[in-house]
Amino acid sequence: MNSPKFENLLNLALDATEREREKSVQLGVGYEAADNTWEIIVKYSGDIKRLEQQDPRIQVTELMNEYAILRVPEDAMGLVAAASEVEFVEKPKRMFFAVSQGKSVSCINAVQSGRYGLTGKGVIVAILDSGERVIIMSS
């Protein structure tokens, strides 16, 4: 499966074998081997919930500003690619950073070691950048 709506890394991951996904740091992110499903990020316009009606195995969680998280069986990725509502699809990424340098440059060490002992545990932050606008979400 290769779609121009899918980011290159997702196209590569869909073409990879399960063994290749297991061995890769990035290819398997968003893939659940137990039920052969993908969790993907979709930029859309229109009624994205229509995909759930087309295939009840597809789960749609709408976010803000026409973004959604979809849980899609691998054999239904073609439906996502063919949907007129779908503008762009990408897979989640595993994020890495140099912990000590990143914390120091961001002044996190002072906050974590100060009198409050803040760690950020349990906080989720997402930054979505479509090139046209940036969306920052936290919970």
Side-chain angles (χ1 to χ4, degrees), residues 55-105:
D55 188 333
R57 301 174 302 157
I58 297 175
Q59 298 171 2
V60 175
T61 304
E62 290 183 270
L63 303 174
M64 299 182 320
N65 297 324
E66 298 180 323
Y67 282 93
I69 305 294
L70 274 57
R71 188 164 179 80
V72 182
E74 188 163 7
D75 65 356
M77 291 294 278
L79 284 175
V80 175
S84 60
E85 297 85 359
V86 173
E87 296 175 19
F88 186 73
V89 181
E90 65 181 292
K91 60 191 285 315
K93 311 293 186 297
R94 182 166 284 132
M95 305 303 278
F96 297 97
F97 62 96
V99 176
S100 59
Q101 184 181 9
K103 284 183 173 184
S104 174
V105 170

Side-chain angles (χ1 to χ4, degrees), residues 25-59:
V25 175
Q26 289 292 344
L27 291 181
V29 177
Y31 177 69
E32 183 59 52
D35 55 2
N36 198 30
T37 59
W38 284 93
E39 188 171 81
I40 54 177
I41 303 163
V42 175
K43 171 73 173 109
Y44 70 95
S45 58
D47 181 17
I48 193 69
K49 291 280 193 180
R50 186 180 66 81
L51 286 170
E52 288 179 323
Q53 296 164 354
Q54 274 190 287
D55 188 333
R57 301 174 302 157
I58 297 175
Q59 298 171 2

